[in-house]
Amino acid sequence: GQQLNQSPQSMFIQEGEDVSMNCTSSSIFNTWLWYKQDPGEGPVLLIALYKAGELTSNGRLTAQFGITRKDSFLNISASIPSDVGIYFCAGHNAGNMLTFGGGTRLMVKP
Amino acid sequence: DTAVSQTPKYLVTQMGNDKSIKCEQNLGHDTMYWYKQDSKKFLKIMFSYNNKELIINETVPNRFSPKSPDKAHLNLHINSLELGDSAVYFCASSQEGGTEYNEQFFGPGTRLTVL
């Protein structure tokens, strides 16, 4: 089946630093998504990417959909303590079924 | 105001028991889902359901069954619980999916512990 490889698995950074994480897939997706999960909560959508090569920003977040449709990255600039959580990439093809990456656990030191 | 709600938040039970987790959404969506998140935080789709069809992830044991009394509810029934069923289960909902992605809204999760 489809698999998404997400890296790094975890990051421990200083407040104010920029963060970068990425996902690669063994197969093509029509849509790439980035979610954030806070402790004790369900995932919340941050950014959706619909076209190969698309670069999209949401505040301090920037994500890109790779040209090959098999990869995506998420950047967070000037991290703050509330950025702590687990970030998941997810791929979507027809039928609204999502395939999730393994997650990147972000920890921010004030 | 909660969009997708689940009950209970925590469920502790013995091996072999049968249990249910309830999910309700007030978003007017027509498709609902169940996901399992294991101890390593890996999220995997279990079911996708709307009034037209049920899509089952082939890896899900048939001890798991979704039941939808109406469009706003999709409950998860689990028979003969096993230790490996311990996980956090998330319900989600969206408008019906086609070729384009419709955002899925997740509930807060139910932590199931099987002893």
Side-chain angles (χ1 to χ4, degrees), chain B residues 17 23 32 36 41 43 56 66 69 80 87 93-94 99 101-102:
Chain B
N17 284 349
C23 178
M32 296 182 73
K36 179 181 180 182
K41 304 300 181 184
L43 265 167
I56 304 172
S80 302
S93 73
S94 74
T99 53
Y101 175 70
N102 292 316

Side-chain angles (χ1 to χ4, degrees), chain A residues 8-78:
Chain A
Q9 288 187 0
S10 62
M11 302 181 73
F12 188 57
I13 62 169
Q14 195 77 32
E15 182 178 0
E17 289 183 356
D18 297 342
V19 171
S20 185
M21 57 193 81
N22 67 79
C23 256
T24 58
S25 169
S26 56
S27 53
I28 290 170
F29 286 102
N30 292 329
T31 307
W32 277 87
L33 306 144
W34 286 93
Y35 281 84
K36 183 190 178 195
Q37 184 179 16
D38 289 328
E41 302 291 333
V44 174
L45 183 65
L46 297 174
I47 290 180
L49 301 158
Y50 298 99
K51 296 179 183 177
E54 179 181 354
L55 183 71
T56 296
S57 293
N58 178 5
R60 294 178 296 106
L61 307 179
T62 302
Q64 184 156 33
F65 190 159
I67 279 290
T68 65
R69 294 184 172 271
K70 291 185 177 181
D71 63 297
S72 177
F73 72 74
L74 174 71
N75 289 342
I76 306 173
S77 62

Side-chain angles (χ1 to χ4, degrees), chain B residues 13-26:
Chain B
T13 187
Q14 298 286 331
M15 263 174 44
N17 284 349
D18 303 337
K19 289 293 179 185
S20 294
I21 305 172
K22 294 185 177 180
C23 178
E24 177 181 3
Q25 54 95 5
N26 62 8

Side-chain angles (χ1 to χ4, degrees), chain B residues 83-101:
Chain B
L83 293 177
D85 297 333
S86 296
V88 180
Y89 292 84
F90 288 99
C91 177
S93 73
S94 74
Q95 291 292 59
E96 182 177 351
T99 53
E100 290 211 346
Y101 175 70

